[in-house]
């Protein structure tokens, strides 16, 4: 991508709109966390706003219940900070929140030809930790390939 094309992309209205939306979401989440007691701040996150209702996700029914008990006070605090809401809706999410999800561990596939090349490279090296590591890698991948 040329510098000019990249600069055009960076100044595009779509990217600027997305940047503003992301910034607004960060500010909203920061306001939410600041309104909560320290023990609850990391146990929920703002999903968004729908009309005048703040949507919050949590993984625990107990946390959702506690947030419902605190709803009036939280609404007043958030309104004092300039947020115009009149309700808080909690959703319990059984699965991890998006920022808590971990990518599945994937083992890269090494083709038989690549294994043969690595094996030849290992055999051509003098005795060393590198040679041992390459030989171990080739042996492990060959065993794994034979089970698949």
């Amino acid at each position: 991508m040329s510098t000019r094309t990249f600069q055009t992309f960076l100044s595009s209205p779509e990217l600027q709109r997305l940047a503003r939306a992301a910034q607004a979401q960060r500010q909203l989440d920061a306001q939410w966390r600041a309104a909560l007691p320290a023990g609850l701040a990391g146990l929920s996150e703002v999903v968004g706003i729908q009309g005048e209702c703040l949507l919050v996700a949590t993984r625990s029914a107990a946390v959702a219940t506690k947030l419902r008990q605190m709803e009036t006070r939280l609404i007043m605090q958030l309104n004092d900070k300039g947020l115009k809401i009149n309700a808080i809706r909690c959703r319990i999410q059984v699965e991890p929140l998006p920022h808590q999800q971990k990518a599945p561990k994937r083992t890269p596939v090494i083709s038989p030809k690549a294994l043969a090349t690595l094996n030849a490279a290992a055999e051509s090296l003098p005795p060393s930790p590198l040679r041992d590591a390459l030989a171990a890698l080739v042996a492990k991948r060959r065993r794994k390939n034979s089970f698949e």
Side-chain angles (χ1 to χ4, degrees):
M1 182 180 278
S2 73
T3 305
R4 183 179 180 109
T5 305
F6 187 67
Q7 288 299 329
T8 303
F9 173 71
L10 288 177
S11 62
S12 70
E14 295 84 10
L15 189 60
Q16 290 176 358
R17 183 181 52 79
L18 286 173
R20 284 191 303 272
Q23 179 62 26
Q25 182 68 24
R26 283 192 298 273
Q27 288 175 344
L28 183 59
D29 197 57
Q31 288 176 327
W32 171 250
R33 290 179 190 280
L36 292 173
L40 290 175
L43 301 176
S44 64
E45 76 176 19
V46 173
V47 175
I49 294 181
Q50 190 174 48
E52 292 184 352
C53 181
L54 183 67
L55 305 175
V56 176
T58 181
R59 293 177 56 195
S60 163
V63 172
T65 300
K66 187 63 178 169
L67 293 175
R68 287 183 194 108
Q69 291 171 350
M70 299 172 61
E71 182 175 11
T72 304
R73 183 177 65 83
L74 290 170
I75 289 171
M76 288 179 6
Q77 281 183 307
L78 293 169
N79 282 334
D80 288 345
K81 293 181 181 187
L83 193 61
K84 302 295 181 222
I85 61 168
N86 60 21
I88 297 172
R89 185 179 317 145
C90 295
R91 290 191 215 160
I92 300 167
Q93 291 187 219
V94 178
E95 72 276 356
L97 298 172
H99 70 280
Q100 296 169 328
Q101 293 178 355
K102 294 182 180 175
K105 189 174 181 179
R106 296 185 331 188
T107 305
V109 176
I110 301 176
S111 70
K113 184 177 179 181
L115 284 174
T117 303
L118 286 171
N119 191 46
E123 291 174 352
S124 71
L125 292 171
S128 66
L130 177 58
R131 179 182 178 157
D132 296 342
L134 279 174
L137 172 70
V138 170
K140 181 179 178 182
R141 298 309 302 181
R142 282 188 175 153
R143 281 191 309 273
K144 194 166 190 96
N145 289 349
S146 68
F147 289 114
E148 292 176 354

